[in-house]
Amino acid sequence: MAIYLTVDGGTTNTRLSLVADGAVVDTVRYSIGAGCGDDPSELIGRAVAEGVEALSTKNHIGRCEIECIILSGMITSMYIFSGSSAPSSRSFSLR
């Protein structure tokens, strides 16, 4: 079974969906977006990490079973990362 997450990060909201075999199984929504304050990356990073944990716990899926996380929306125009410099590709790290 192919399991992945989608993260749709807009200006005001961020939604994470758990997808299994091409069907959306569950979704969580956070009222945090790319337009929240001067530096929304930390807030969005925490929301994504919390969403991953919530979806995997509720649906009894281990984090290692999630094959990939697909980002879309306004958050793709900003970097969310851990470290001292921007990565060469746009990516983020779940802390």
Side-chain angles (χ1 to χ4, degrees):
M1 172 172 20
I3 298 172
Y4 59 93
L5 294 174
T6 62
V7 180
D8 178 14
T11 304
T12 57
N13 294 300
T14 300
R15 283 173 297 284
L16 286 83
S17 295
L18 175 66
V19 180
D21 287 334
V24 174
V25 175
D26 200 358
T27 300
V28 293
R29 180 183 163 275
Y30 296 91
S31 297
I32 297 167
C36 294
D38 292 334
D39 184 17
S41 11
E42 186 174 331
L43 293 173
I44 294 171
R46 278 190 268 153
V48 169
E50 183 180 311
V52 169
E53 185 65 29
L55 288 170
S56 59
T57 299
K58 181 180 175 189
N59 293 282
H60 309 288
I61 298 203
R63 288 175 60 169
C64 63
E65 295 178 72
I66 298 170
E67 296 179 30
C68 69
I69 300 175
I70 301 168
L71 301 176
S72 66
M74 292 296 293
I75 62 170
T76 62
S77 65
M78 57 190 282
Y79 287 108
I80 302 173
F81 64 94
S82 309
S84 59
S85 62
S88 58
S89 63
R90 294 180 182 203
S91 62
F92 66 93
S93 172
L94 296 177
R95 296 180 229 176

